[in-house]
Amino acid sequence: MANSGAKGDEASLTTPAREVGWRWEHTYAQLPSWLHVGVAPTPVGAPKWVILNQVLARELGLAEDALAGGVGMASLVGNRLPAGAAPLAQAYAGHQFGHLTTLGDGRAILLGEHVTARGERFDIQLKGAGPTPFSRRGDGRATLVSMLREYVMSEAMHSLGIPTTRSLAVVATGEEIWRGQPRPGGVLTRVAASHLRVGTFVGAAAGPDEAGLKALIDYTLWRHYPEHRGAANPALALFAAVVARQASLLAKWMLVGFVHGVMNTDNMALSGETIDYGPCAFLDHYDPATVFSSIDRHGRYAFGQQPRIAQWNLARLAEALLPRLHAEEPVGIALANEAIQKFTVIFQTQWLAGMRRKLGLFNEELEDGILVEDLLAWMQTTKADFTNTFAKLARSAGEEVGASSPDEGWRRWEARWRARLGRQVESAGAAWALRCAHCPAFIPRNHLVEAALAAAEVGEMRDLERLLDVVVAPYDHSRVAPEYRAPAPDGGAGYQTFCGT
Ligand code: AMP
Ligand code: MG
Protein backbone atom coordinates (compact mmCIF):
# COMPACT_ATOMS: atom_id res chain seq x y z
CA MET A 1 0.00 0.00 0.00
CA ALA A 2 0.98 3.59 -0.41
CA ASN A 3 2.06 6.16 2.11
CA SER A 4 2.61 3.77 4.95
CA GLY A 5 4.01 0.50 6.05
CA ALA A 6 0.56 -0.93 6.70
CA LYS A 7 0.16 -4.56 7.57
CA GLY A 8 -3.16 -5.62 6.16
CA ASP A 9 -2.61 -9.27 6.93
CA GLU A 10 -5.18 -11.34 8.76
CA ALA A 11 -2.69 -12.33 11.49
CA SER A 12 -2.56 -8.82 12.90
CA LEU A 13 -6.33 -8.98 13.38
CA THR A 14 -5.73 -11.42 16.19
CA THR A 15 -3.03 -9.37 17.88
CA PRO A 16 -4.19 -6.98 20.58
CA ALA A 17 -5.36 -3.68 19.17
CA ARG A 18 -2.96 -0.87 19.84
CA GLU A 19 -4.67 2.36 20.66
CA VAL A 20 -5.49 4.32 17.52
CA GLY A 21 -6.36 7.33 19.63
CA TRP A 22 -9.92 8.06 18.55
CA ARG A 23 -11.70 10.47 20.84
CA TRP A 24 -15.37 10.09 19.92
CA GLU A 25 -18.27 12.41 20.55
CA HIS A 26 -21.71 12.27 19.00
CA THR A 27 -23.29 15.69 19.08
CA TYR A 28 -25.08 15.32 15.73
CA ALA A 29 -26.96 12.30 17.10
CA GLN A 30 -28.52 14.58 19.72
CA LEU A 31 -30.37 16.55 17.04
CA PRO A 32 -34.04 15.63 16.42
CA SER A 33 -34.35 11.96 15.50
CA TRP A 34 -35.76 12.58 12.00
CA LEU A 35 -32.39 14.04 10.99
CA HIS A 36 -30.56 10.71 11.27
CA VAL A 37 -30.91 6.96 11.37
CA GLY A 38 -28.62 4.60 13.27
CA VAL A 39 -27.12 2.11 10.82
CA ALA A 40 -23.92 0.07 10.88
CA PRO A 41 -21.58 -0.44 7.93
CA THR A 42 -22.01 -3.76 6.12
CA PRO A 43 -18.91 -5.94 6.52
CA VAL A 44 -17.01 -6.97 3.40
CA GLY A 45 -15.35 -10.25 2.52
CA ALA A 46 -11.72 -9.60 1.73
CA PRO A 47 -10.63 -6.06 2.59
CA LYS A 48 -7.20 -4.92 1.47
CA TRP A 49 -5.25 -1.78 2.25
CA VAL A 50 -4.90 0.62 -0.65
CA ILE A 51 -3.80 3.91 0.85
CA LEU A 52 -3.48 5.59 4.23
CA ASN A 53 -2.85 9.30 4.68
CA GLN A 54 -0.21 9.23 7.38
CA VAL A 55 0.22 13.00 7.43
CA LEU A 56 -3.49 13.50 8.10
CA ALA A 57 -3.52 10.69 10.68
CA ARG A 58 -0.82 12.56 12.57
CA GLU A 59 -2.66 15.87 12.24
CA LEU A 60 -5.67 14.18 13.80
CA GLY A 61 -3.55 12.90 16.67
CA LEU A 62 -4.01 9.27 15.63
CA ALA A 63 -1.34 6.59 15.96
CA GLU A 64 -0.67 5.86 12.33
CA ASP A 65 1.04 2.53 12.99
CA ALA A 66 -2.00 1.28 14.88
CA LEU A 67 -4.31 2.57 12.16
CA ALA A 68 -2.14 0.90 9.51
CA GLY A 69 -2.55 -2.55 11.03
CA GLY A 70 -5.24 -5.13 10.32
CA VAL A 71 -7.52 -3.86 13.07
CA GLY A 72 -7.20 -0.31 11.81
CA MET A 73 -8.02 -1.45 8.29
CA ALA A 74 -11.03 -3.45 9.53
CA SER A 75 -12.33 -0.33 11.27
CA LEU A 76 -11.91 1.84 8.16
CA VAL A 77 -13.68 -0.59 5.85
CA GLY A 78 -16.60 -1.06 8.23
CA ASN A 79 -15.84 -4.62 9.35
CA ARG A 80 -15.13 -3.78 12.94
CA LEU A 81 -16.33 -0.60 14.60
CA PRO A 82 -13.78 1.28 16.67
CA ALA A 83 -14.76 1.33 20.33
CA GLY A 84 -16.90 4.39 20.97
CA ALA A 85 -18.16 4.83 17.41
CA ALA A 86 -21.94 5.19 16.99
CA PRO A 87 -22.69 4.84 13.26
CA LEU A 88 -25.52 6.73 11.61
CA ALA A 89 -26.71 7.98 8.24
CA GLN A 90 -27.79 11.60 7.93
CA ALA A 91 -31.12 12.64 6.43
CA TYR A 92 -31.23 15.53 3.96
CA ALA A 93 -32.91 16.75 0.83
CA GLY A 94 -31.37 18.39 -2.17
CA HIS A 95 -31.96 20.03 -5.51
CA GLN A 96 -30.38 17.78 -8.09
CA PHE A 97 -29.88 19.80 -11.27
CA GLY A 98 -32.53 22.13 -9.88
CA HIS A 99 -35.11 19.49 -8.94
CA LEU A 100 -35.98 18.93 -5.28
CA THR A 101 -35.43 15.36 -4.08
CA THR A 102 -35.43 13.63 -0.71
CA LEU A 103 -32.00 12.12 -0.27
CA GLY A 104 -29.88 11.22 2.76
CA ASP A 105 -26.63 9.29 3.08
CA GLY A 106 -27.29 6.39 0.77
CA ARG A 107 -23.78 5.03 0.85
CA ALA A 108 -21.99 6.92 3.60
CA ILE A 109 -22.02 6.19 7.31
CA LEU A 110 -20.88 8.60 9.98
CA LEU A 111 -18.89 6.87 12.73
CA GLY A 112 -19.00 9.96 14.92
CA GLU A 113 -16.98 13.10 15.61
CA HIS A 114 -13.33 12.79 16.49
CA VAL A 115 -12.24 15.61 18.79
CA THR A 116 -8.49 16.19 18.76
CA ALA A 117 -6.45 17.05 21.84
CA ARG A 118 -6.48 20.64 20.51
CA GLY A 119 -10.26 20.58 20.61
CA GLU A 120 -10.89 20.49 16.85
CA ARG A 121 -13.94 18.46 15.87
CA PHE A 122 -14.03 16.33 12.72
CA ASP A 123 -16.72 14.10 11.26
CA ILE A 124 -15.32 10.68 10.43
CA GLN A 125 -17.39 9.10 7.70
CA LEU A 126 -17.05 5.87 5.75
CA LYS A 127 -18.14 6.40 2.15
CA GLY A 128 -19.16 3.28 0.23
CA ALA A 129 -19.72 1.29 3.44
CA GLY A 130 -23.01 -0.38 2.49
CA PRO A 131 -26.70 0.39 2.26
CA THR A 132 -28.67 2.64 4.60
CA PRO A 133 -32.39 3.42 4.82
CA PHE A 134 -31.64 6.25 2.33
CA SER A 135 -30.10 4.04 -0.36
CA ARG A 136 -33.21 4.03 -2.54
CA ARG A 137 -32.29 1.64 -5.34
CA GLY A 138 -28.53 2.00 -4.82
CA ASP A 139 -26.24 -0.69 -3.43
CA GLY A 140 -24.61 1.58 -0.85
CA ARG A 141 -21.23 0.96 -2.43
CA ALA A 142 -18.65 2.92 -4.36
CA THR A 143 -16.05 1.84 -6.88
CA LEU A 144 -12.47 1.72 -5.66
CA VAL A 145 -11.56 4.11 -8.47
CA SER A 146 -14.13 6.76 -7.52
CA MET A 147 -12.98 6.71 -3.90
CA LEU A 148 -9.34 7.03 -4.97
CA ARG A 149 -10.39 9.89 -7.22
CA GLU A 150 -11.92 11.71 -4.25
CA TYR A 151 -8.74 11.00 -2.27
CA VAL A 152 -6.45 12.55 -4.90
CA MET A 153 -8.67 15.52 -5.70
CA SER A 154 -9.43 16.45 -2.09
CA GLU A 155 -5.81 16.17 -0.98
CA ALA A 156 -4.73 18.25 -3.99
CA MET A 157 -7.33 20.90 -3.13
CA HIS A 158 -6.20 20.98 0.49
CA SER A 159 -2.60 21.43 -0.62
CA LEU A 160 -3.65 24.28 -2.90
CA GLY A 161 -4.94 26.01 0.22
CA ILE A 162 -8.63 25.53 -0.53
CA PRO A 163 -11.05 24.53 2.25
CA THR A 164 -12.13 20.95 1.66
CA THR A 165 -13.07 17.69 3.26
CA ARG A 166 -10.03 15.43 3.54
CA SER A 167 -9.31 11.79 2.84
CA LEU A 168 -7.77 9.62 5.53
CA ALA A 169 -7.79 6.24 3.82
CA VAL A 170 -9.09 4.03 1.06
CA VAL A 171 -9.57 0.31 1.67
CA ALA A 172 -10.54 -2.08 -1.14
CA THR A 173 -13.55 -4.20 -0.22
CA GLY A 174 -12.35 -7.24 -2.15
CA GLU A 175 -15.88 -7.41 -3.59
CA GLU A 176 -17.11 -6.48 -7.02
CA ILE A 177 -20.00 -4.13 -7.59
CA TRP A 178 -22.05 -3.70 -10.73
CA ARG A 179 -21.59 -0.46 -12.69
CA GLY A 180 -22.63 -1.67 -16.12
CA GLN A 181 -19.77 -4.09 -15.61
CA PRO A 182 -18.17 -5.58 -12.49
CA ARG A 183 -15.82 -3.12 -10.78
CA PRO A 184 -13.80 -3.45 -7.56
CA GLY A 185 -15.39 -1.69 -4.59
CA GLY A 186 -13.67 0.65 -2.14
CA VAL A 187 -14.39 2.51 1.09
CA LEU A 188 -13.09 6.03 1.67
CA THR A 189 -12.66 7.49 5.14
CA ARG A 190 -13.74 11.10 4.77
CA VAL A 191 -12.74 13.69 7.34
CA ALA A 192 -14.91 16.82 7.37
CA ALA A 193 -15.52 19.87 9.54
CA SER A 194 -19.08 18.53 9.36
CA HIS A 195 -21.50 17.09 6.85
CA LEU A 196 -24.09 19.83 7.40
CA ARG A 197 -25.28 20.70 3.92
CA VAL A 198 -27.60 23.26 2.35
CA GLY A 199 -29.68 20.14 1.73
CA THR A 200 -29.75 19.36 5.46
CA PHE A 201 -31.65 22.63 5.97
CA VAL A 202 -33.82 22.07 2.91
CA GLY A 203 -34.81 18.75 4.47
CA ALA A 204 -35.28 20.24 7.93
CA ALA A 205 -37.54 22.97 6.57
CA ALA A 206 -39.89 20.22 5.43
CA GLY A 207 -39.53 18.45 8.79
CA PRO A 208 -42.30 17.76 11.29
CA ASP A 209 -41.70 20.85 13.43
CA GLU A 210 -39.94 24.20 13.39
CA ALA A 211 -38.13 23.29 16.61
CA GLY A 212 -35.94 20.98 14.53
CA LEU A 213 -34.98 23.83 12.22
CA LYS A 214 -34.15 26.03 15.19
CA ALA A 215 -32.04 23.26 16.74
CA LEU A 216 -30.16 22.84 13.47
CA ILE A 217 -29.45 26.57 13.24
CA ASP A 218 -28.12 26.67 16.80
CA TYR A 219 -26.08 23.53 16.18
CA THR A 220 -24.50 24.88 12.97
CA LEU A 221 -23.62 28.17 14.67
CA TRP A 222 -22.05 26.25 17.55
CA ARG A 223 -20.05 24.07 15.19
CA HIS A 224 -18.91 26.52 12.53
CA TYR A 225 -19.69 30.11 13.51
CA PRO A 226 -19.37 30.31 17.31
CA GLU A 227 -18.70 34.05 17.01
CA HIS A 228 -22.36 34.50 15.98
CA ARG A 229 -23.97 32.36 18.67
CA GLY A 230 -25.27 35.29 20.65
CA ALA A 231 -26.67 37.08 17.57
CA ALA A 232 -30.05 38.79 17.92
CA ASN A 233 -31.21 37.00 14.76
CA PRO A 234 -29.36 33.65 14.71
CA ALA A 235 -30.86 32.50 11.39
CA LEU A 236 -29.81 35.71 9.65
CA ALA A 237 -26.35 35.67 11.23
CA LEU A 238 -25.91 32.09 10.05
CA PHE A 239 -27.08 32.89 6.55
CA ALA A 240 -24.81 35.91 6.17
CA ALA A 241 -21.83 33.92 7.46
CA VAL A 242 -22.49 31.03 5.07
CA VAL A 243 -22.84 33.47 2.16
CA ALA A 244 -19.44 34.96 3.01
CA ARG A 245 -17.71 31.59 3.28
CA GLN A 246 -19.21 30.30 0.05
CA ALA A 247 -18.24 33.48 -1.81
CA SER A 248 -14.70 33.05 -0.55
CA LEU A 249 -14.66 29.34 -1.48
CA LEU A 250 -15.96 30.00 -4.98
CA ALA A 251 -13.30 32.68 -5.52
CA LYS A 252 -10.65 30.10 -4.61
CA TRP A 253 -12.10 27.51 -7.00
CA MET A 254 -12.18 30.02 -9.85
CA LEU A 255 -8.59 31.07 -9.19
CA VAL A 256 -7.24 27.55 -9.74
CA GLY A 257 -9.63 26.41 -12.48
CA PHE A 258 -11.57 23.88 -10.41
CA VAL A 259 -14.85 22.58 -11.82
CA HIS A 260 -16.92 20.86 -9.10
CA GLY A 261 -19.28 19.34 -11.63
CA VAL A 262 -22.30 18.61 -9.48
CA MET A 263 -23.14 21.62 -7.34
CA ASN A 264 -26.50 20.29 -6.14
CA THR A 265 -27.73 21.79 -2.87
CA ASP A 266 -26.89 18.53 -1.07
CA ASN A 267 -23.29 18.93 -2.22
CA MET A 268 -22.71 22.34 -0.61
CA ALA A 269 -21.37 22.33 2.96
CA LEU A 270 -22.31 24.94 5.54
CA SER A 271 -18.76 24.81 6.86
CA GLY A 272 -17.50 26.35 3.61
CA GLU A 273 -15.52 23.25 2.69
CA THR A 274 -15.51 21.75 -0.80
CA ILE A 275 -17.51 18.54 -0.49
CA ASP A 276 -18.67 15.53 -2.53
CA TYR A 277 -16.03 14.98 -5.15
CA GLY A 278 -17.78 13.30 -8.03
CA PRO A 279 -17.21 14.38 -11.59
CA CYS A 280 -14.91 17.28 -10.65
CA ALA A 281 -11.82 18.19 -12.69
CA PHE A 282 -9.42 21.05 -13.35
CA LEU A 283 -9.48 23.20 -16.48
CA ASP A 284 -6.96 22.52 -19.17
CA HIS A 285 -7.32 25.54 -21.45
CA TYR A 286 -9.32 28.46 -20.16
CA ASP A 287 -12.96 28.46 -21.23
CA PRO A 288 -15.82 29.49 -18.90
CA ALA A 289 -18.14 27.08 -20.75
CA THR A 290 -16.04 24.06 -19.74
CA VAL A 291 -18.12 21.08 -18.59
CA PHE A 292 -16.56 17.72 -17.80
CA SER A 293 -19.47 15.80 -16.30
CA SER A 294 -21.21 13.47 -18.73
CA ILE A 295 -24.61 14.14 -17.14
CA ASP A 296 -24.37 17.96 -17.18
CA ARG A 297 -25.81 18.23 -20.68
CA HIS A 298 -26.91 21.84 -20.47
CA GLY A 299 -23.83 23.21 -18.76
CA ARG A 300 -25.67 24.11 -15.55
CA TYR A 301 -22.46 23.50 -13.61
CA ALA A 302 -19.99 24.79 -16.21
CA PHE A 303 -16.81 26.45 -14.88
CA GLY A 304 -18.03 30.00 -15.41
CA GLN A 305 -21.50 29.26 -14.00
CA GLN A 306 -20.25 28.23 -10.59
CA PRO A 307 -20.54 31.54 -8.70
CA ARG A 308 -24.07 32.02 -10.04
CA ILE A 309 -25.05 28.47 -9.04
CA ALA A 310 -23.60 28.94 -5.57
CA GLN A 311 -25.92 31.93 -5.19
CA TRP A 312 -28.84 29.88 -6.47
CA ASN A 313 -28.07 27.26 -3.82
CA LEU A 314 -27.80 29.94 -1.15
CA ALA A 315 -31.24 31.23 -2.16
CA ARG A 316 -32.56 27.71 -1.45
CA LEU A 317 -30.87 27.90 1.97
CA ALA A 318 -32.58 31.25 2.59
CA GLU A 319 -35.95 29.72 1.71
CA ALA A 320 -35.35 26.93 4.21
CA LEU A 321 -34.40 29.43 6.90
CA LEU A 322 -37.29 31.77 6.10
CA PRO A 323 -39.60 30.85 9.00
CA ARG A 324 -36.78 31.73 11.40
CA LEU A 325 -35.56 34.86 9.60
CA HIS A 326 -38.53 36.98 10.64
CA ALA A 327 -42.08 36.49 11.92
CA GLU A 328 -43.33 38.41 8.89
CA GLU A 329 -42.40 36.63 5.69
CA PRO A 330 -41.90 39.71 3.47
CA VAL A 331 -39.46 41.12 6.02
CA GLY A 332 -37.63 37.78 6.12
CA ILE A 333 -37.36 37.76 2.33
CA ALA A 334 -36.00 41.31 2.31
CA LEU A 335 -33.38 40.39 4.93
CA ALA A 336 -32.33 37.34 2.94
CA ASN A 337 -32.09 39.33 -0.28
CA GLU A 338 -29.93 41.92 1.36
CA ALA A 339 -27.61 39.22 2.73
CA ILE A 340 -27.34 37.28 -0.52
CA GLN A 341 -26.42 40.41 -2.45
CA LYS A 342 -23.17 40.49 -0.50
CA PHE A 343 -22.11 37.32 -2.30
CA THR A 344 -21.17 39.13 -5.51
CA VAL A 345 -19.24 41.84 -3.69
CA ILE A 346 -17.27 39.38 -1.54
CA PHE A 347 -16.68 37.04 -4.46
CA GLN A 348 -15.51 39.80 -6.81
CA THR A 349 -13.25 41.40 -4.20
CA GLN A 350 -11.62 38.13 -3.21
CA TRP A 351 -11.30 36.89 -6.77
CA LEU A 352 -9.61 40.09 -7.92
CA ALA A 353 -7.37 40.12 -4.84
CA GLY A 354 -6.40 36.53 -5.69
CA MET A 355 -5.73 37.45 -9.33
CA ARG A 356 -3.53 40.36 -8.22
CA ARG A 357 -1.47 37.91 -6.15
CA LYS A 358 -1.21 35.54 -9.12
CA LEU A 359 0.17 38.43 -11.17
CA GLY A 360 2.52 39.55 -8.40
CA LEU A 361 0.68 42.79 -7.66
CA PHE A 362 0.74 44.17 -4.13
CA ASN A 363 -1.06 47.47 -4.59
CA GLU A 364 -4.38 48.18 -6.29
CA GLU A 365 -5.06 50.12 -9.45
CA LEU A 366 -8.44 50.87 -10.94
CA GLU A 367 -7.67 49.06 -14.20
CA ASP A 368 -6.41 45.80 -12.64
CA GLY A 369 -9.72 44.08 -13.38
CA ILE A 370 -9.37 44.92 -17.06
CA LEU A 371 -5.77 43.68 -17.12
CA VAL A 372 -6.94 40.33 -15.72
CA GLU A 373 -9.97 40.08 -18.02
CA ASP A 374 -7.77 40.78 -21.05
CA LEU A 375 -5.39 38.01 -20.04
CA LEU A 376 -8.30 35.58 -19.65
CA ALA A 377 -9.75 36.66 -22.99
CA TRP A 378 -6.36 36.04 -24.63
CA MET A 379 -6.21 32.59 -23.02
CA GLN A 380 -9.68 31.74 -24.24
CA THR A 381 -9.00 32.81 -27.82
CA THR A 382 -5.66 31.03 -28.04
CA LYS A 383 -6.78 27.99 -26.00
CA ALA A 384 -3.82 28.54 -23.69
CA ASP A 385 -3.39 26.21 -20.72
CA PHE A 386 -4.82 28.00 -17.67
CA THR A 387 -2.41 26.64 -15.05
CA ASN A 388 0.70 26.86 -17.23
CA THR A 389 0.04 30.39 -18.45
CA PHE A 390 0.01 31.64 -14.87
CA ALA A 391 2.93 29.40 -13.90
CA LYS A 392 4.95 30.83 -16.78
CA LEU A 393 4.24 34.38 -15.61
CA ALA A 394 5.01 33.37 -12.04
CA ARG A 395 8.44 32.01 -12.83
CA SER A 396 9.53 34.70 -15.25
CA ALA A 397 12.12 36.81 -13.48
CA GLY A 398 12.97 39.95 -15.40
CA GLU A 399 13.03 38.71 -18.96
CA GLU A 400 10.06 39.10 -21.24
CA VAL A 401 8.30 35.75 -21.51
CA GLY A 402 6.91 36.53 -24.92
CA ALA A 403 9.92 38.34 -26.37
CA SER A 404 10.40 35.69 -29.02
CA SER A 405 6.72 34.82 -29.29
CA PRO A 406 5.03 35.43 -32.62
CA ASP A 407 1.82 36.19 -30.73
CA GLU A 408 1.27 39.92 -30.92
CA GLY A 409 -1.66 39.82 -28.44
CA TRP A 410 0.45 38.18 -25.81
CA ARG A 411 3.38 40.60 -26.31
CA ARG A 412 1.07 43.59 -25.94
CA TRP A 413 -0.53 42.19 -22.79
CA GLU A 414 2.83 41.33 -21.27
CA ALA A 415 4.15 44.84 -21.88
CA ARG A 416 1.15 46.26 -20.00
CA TRP A 417 1.73 43.81 -17.14
CA ARG A 418 5.45 44.69 -16.93
CA ALA A 419 4.60 48.36 -16.83
CA ARG A 420 2.03 47.67 -14.11
CA LEU A 421 4.64 45.74 -12.06
CA GLY A 422 6.88 48.76 -12.39
CA ARG A 423 4.28 50.97 -10.71
CA GLN A 424 4.59 49.33 -7.29
CA VAL A 425 7.29 49.86 -4.69
CA GLU A 426 7.84 46.17 -3.92
CA SER A 427 10.90 44.57 -5.45
CA ALA A 428 10.82 42.27 -8.48
CA GLY A 429 11.93 39.49 -6.14
CA ALA A 430 9.01 40.03 -3.81
CA ALA A 431 6.57 40.06 -6.75
CA TRP A 432 8.12 36.86 -8.07
CA ALA A 433 7.70 35.13 -4.68
CA LEU A 434 4.09 36.31 -4.43
CA ARG A 435 3.29 34.89 -7.87
CA CYS A 436 4.99 31.57 -7.16
CA ALA A 437 3.01 31.20 -3.93
CA HIS A 438 -0.30 31.66 -5.76
CA CYS A 439 0.18 30.12 -9.19
CA PRO A 440 0.35 26.35 -8.83
CA ALA A 441 3.01 24.55 -10.82
CA PHE A 442 1.07 21.30 -10.40
CA ILE A 443 -2.57 20.39 -10.47
CA PRO A 444 -3.99 16.86 -10.80
CA ARG A 445 -4.13 16.88 -14.58
CA ASN A 446 -7.07 14.94 -15.92
CA HIS A 447 -5.16 12.58 -18.20
CA LEU A 448 -2.68 11.74 -15.41
CA VAL A 449 -5.48 11.15 -12.88
CA GLU A 450 -7.26 8.80 -15.28
CA ALA A 451 -4.10 6.85 -16.13
CA ALA A 452 -3.12 6.53 -12.46
CA LEU A 453 -6.62 5.39 -11.47
CA ALA A 454 -6.76 2.81 -14.26
CA ALA A 455 -3.48 1.35 -13.02
CA ALA A 456 -4.67 1.44 -9.39
CA GLU A 457 -7.80 -0.50 -10.31
CA VAL A 458 -5.62 -3.44 -11.32
CA GLY A 459 -3.48 -3.13 -8.21
CA GLU A 460 -0.61 -1.03 -9.59
CA MET A 461 -0.29 1.93 -7.23
CA ARG A 462 3.02 3.46 -8.35
CA ASP A 463 1.59 6.09 -10.71
CA LEU A 464 -1.00 7.21 -8.19
CA GLU A 465 1.61 7.49 -5.44
CA ARG A 466 3.85 9.64 -7.67
CA LEU A 467 0.94 11.80 -8.75
CA LEU A 468 -0.05 12.33 -5.12
CA ASP A 469 3.49 13.17 -4.18
CA VAL A 470 3.50 15.93 -6.81
CA VAL A 471 0.04 17.40 -6.22
CA VAL A 472 0.44 17.70 -2.46
CA ALA A 473 3.24 20.24 -3.14
CA PRO A 474 1.54 22.28 -5.86
CA TYR A 475 3.60 25.46 -5.41
CA ASP A 476 7.00 23.77 -5.59
CA HIS A 477 8.19 25.49 -8.77
CA SER A 478 11.69 24.12 -8.32
CA ARG A 479 10.58 20.55 -8.84
CA VAL A 480 11.70 19.04 -12.11
CA ALA A 481 8.80 16.94 -13.28
CA PRO A 482 7.88 18.08 -16.80
CA GLU A 483 5.51 15.17 -17.38
CA TYR A 484 3.33 16.46 -14.53
CA ARG A 485 3.26 20.00 -15.92
CA ALA A 486 2.45 19.18 -19.51
CA PRO A 487 -1.15 19.54 -20.62
CA ALA A 488 -2.95 16.52 -22.04
CA PRO A 489 -1.43 15.58 -25.42
CA ASP A 490 -4.72 16.40 -27.19
CA GLY A 491 -5.30 19.50 -25.05
CA GLY A 492 -7.87 17.58 -23.02
CA ALA A 493 -10.43 17.61 -25.83
CA GLY A 494 -13.49 15.57 -25.04
CA TYR A 495 -12.46 14.72 -21.50
CA GLN A 496 -15.50 13.41 -19.60
CA THR A 497 -16.14 12.53 -15.99
CA PHE A 498 -18.85 10.33 -14.52
CA CYS A 499 -20.59 10.49 -11.18
CA GLY A 500 -22.68 8.10 -9.15
CA THR A 501 -19.95 5.53 -9.35
P1 AMP B 1 -24.02 12.29 -5.04
O1 AMP B 1 -24.40 12.62 -6.44
O2 AMP B 1 -22.80 11.42 -4.92
O3 AMP B 1 -23.96 13.48 -4.15
O4 AMP B 1 -25.19 11.37 -4.48
C1 AMP B 1 -26.52 11.76 -4.45
C2 AMP B 1 -27.32 10.85 -3.56
O5 AMP B 1 -27.33 9.52 -4.06
C3 AMP B 1 -26.80 10.76 -2.13
O6 AMP B 1 -27.91 10.71 -1.27
C4 AMP B 1 -26.03 9.47 -2.13
O7 AMP B 1 -25.96 8.92 -0.86
C5 AMP B 1 -26.86 8.61 -3.08
N1 AMP B 1 -26.08 7.55 -3.72
C6 AMP B 1 -25.13 7.68 -4.67
N2 AMP B 1 -24.64 6.48 -5.02
C7 AMP B 1 -25.28 5.56 -4.28
C8 AMP B 1 -25.21 4.13 -4.18
N3 AMP B 1 -24.38 3.38 -4.92
N4 AMP B 1 -26.04 3.53 -3.30
C9 AMP B 1 -26.89 4.23 -2.55
N5 AMP B 1 -27.00 5.57 -2.60
C10 AMP B 1 -26.21 6.23 -3.44
MG1 MG C 1 -23.78 14.21 -2.46
Side-chain angles (χ1 to χ4, degrees):
M1 69 171 280
N3 275 10
S4 91
K7 296 166 282 297
D9 52 302
E10 281 301 310
S12 53
L13 265 178
T14 59
T15 58
R18 280 158 294 165
E19 282 295 321
V20 169
W22 293 117
R23 296 153 51 106
W24 296 109
E25 288 188 14
H26 304 284
T27 60
Y28 189 87
Q30 288 157 29
L31 286 167
S33 60
W34 44 269
L35 282 165
H36 44 86
V37 178
V39 55
T42 304
V44 298
K48 198 163 172 283
W49 261 121
V50 178
I51 195 160
L52 172 64
N53 190 336
Q54 292 192 308
V55 175
L56 179 57
R58 278 195 292 274
E59 281 174 34
L60 293 171
L62 303 175
E64 70 238 50
D65 57 334
L67 207 51
V71 175
M73 178 185 70
S75 68
L76 297 185
V77 78
N79 277 12
R80 176 173 174 156
L81 285 178
L88 62 80
Q90 296 182 338
Y92 48 87
H95 299 78
Q96 298 187 301
F97 287 89
H99 303 288
L100 182 60
T101 324
T102 304
L103 297 162
D105 292 329
R107 56 167 173 175
I109 294 177
L110 182 73
L111 296 183
E113 300 137 35
H114 168 66
V115 182
T116 68
R118 288 191 300 278
E120 302 152 310
R121 180 177 304 268
F122 295 100
D123 273 12
I124 306 296
Q125 193 196 58
L126 302 184
K127 190 169 174 181
T132 77
F134 304 113
S135 294
R136 297 178 288 173
R137 284 178 300 281
D139 58 5
R141 294 295 179 189
T143 62
L144 173 64
V145 158
S146 66
M147 295 301 93
L148 284 172
R149 192 163 207 286
E150 171 154 348
Y151 188 109
V152 175
M153 299 306 275
S154 63
E155 289 307 301
M157 288 287 272
H158 172 74
S159 306
L160 285 162
I162 299 174
T164 175
T165 63
R166 308 271 319 262
S167 298
L168 179 62
V170 174
V171 180
T173 61
E175 296 174 354
E176 289 192 325
I177 57 177
W178 188 257
R179 295 292 183 269
Q181 55 180 304
R183 303 285 298 273
V187 175
L188 171 86
T189 306
R190 178 156 68 180
V191 179
S194 84
H195 288 83
L196 294 160
R197 306 155 186 269
V198 169
T200 315
F201 281 79
V202 174
D209 57 64
E210 207 184 297
L213 182 60
K214 181 184 181 308
L216 202 54
I217 292 167
D218 293 344
Y219 181 75
T220 310
L221 285 173
W222 170 73
R223 231 171 136 169
H224 300 303
Y225 305 96
E227 65 279 19
H228 294 305
R229 279 184 83 194
N233 186 339
L236 184 61
L238 173 65
F239 185 61
V242 173
V243 166
R245 262 192 215 174
Q246 282 298 329
S248 164
L249 179 67
L250 266 288
K252 292 191 167 88
W253 287 3
M254 302 305 285
L255 286 164
V256 297
F258 177 74
V259 187
H260 182 284
V262 60
M263 289 177 69
N264 296 336
T265 52
D266 55 308
N267 295 337
M268 183 184 263
L270 284 254
S271 62
E273 288 182 343
T274 311
I275 194 169
D276 275 6
Y277 290 84
C280 64
F282 284 78
L283 290 184
D284 293 294
H285 64 268
Y286 174 78
D287 185 347
T290 303
V291 172
F292 293 115
S293 170
S294 60
I295 60 168
D296 190 2
R297 292 197 186 86
H298 304 292
R300 178 180 171 88
Y301 299 140
F303 177 67
Q305 290 295 324
Q306 296 186 119
R308 206 180 60 77
I309 286 292
Q311 275 176 283
W312 190 90
N313 289 347
L314 290 165
R316 306 290 81 75
L317 176 62
E319 283 167 9
L321 291 170
L322 199 54
R324 309 271 338 149
L325 282 173
H326 200 276
E328 291 167 47
E329 198 174 287
V331 182
I333 293 173
L335 290 171
N337 276 333
E338 197 184 322
I340 208 167
Q341 272 161 23
K342 303 239 166 71
F343 182 97
T344 309
V345 180
I346 301 169
F347 172 80
Q348 276 297 339
T349 308
Q350 298 209 7
W351 180 81
L352 186 55
M355 278 294 178
R356 282 199 183 94
R357 287 191 287 268
K358 285 173 91 84
L359 295 181
L361 304 176
F362 289 88
N363 62 345
E364 295 179 14
E365 283 190 8
L366 218 52
E367 305 239 308
D368 288 344
I370 297 170
L371 186 70
V372 173
E373 291 298 347
D374 288 350
L375 173 62
L376 294 175
W378 177 84
M379 280 191 207
Q380 191 173 349
T381 319
T382 58
K383 292 198 181 305
D385 185 85
F386 181 78
T387 303
N388 285 354
T389 302
F390 280 109
K392 189 167 70 175
L393 290 175
R395 286 191 295 269
S396 75
E399 82 286 4
E400 302 234 337
V401 183
S404 60
S405 164
D407 190 305
E408 182 59 30
W410 173 262
R411 280 206 306 271
R412 270 204 309 271
W413 184 87
E414 196 187 352
R416 279 163 64 201
W417 174 59
R418 297 255 167 229
R420 173 66 183 85
L421 280 172
R423 292 195 297 274
Q424 61 183 7
V425 293
E426 286 78 8
S427 69
W432 175 84
L434 184 66
R435 295 197 298 273
C436 287
H438 292 94
C439 297
F442 302 104
I443 51 158
R445 291 200 172 264
N446 302 325
H447 63 293
L448 298 178
V449 172
E450 294 307 321
L453 290 178
E457 184 162 23
V458 294
E460 177 47 70
M461 287 294 290
R462 249 195 334 240
D463 286 357
L464 195 70
E465 286 166 28
R466 271 212 73 196
L467 178 64
L468 264 168
D469 192 48
V470 170
V471 297
V472 299
Y475 300 107
D476 183 359
H477 289 267
S478 65
R479 185 171 195 148
V480 184
E483 67 277 30
Y484 289 92
R485 294 186 196 244
D490 61 353
Y495 179 65
Q496 268 206 329
T497 54
F498 301 89
C499 62
T501 50

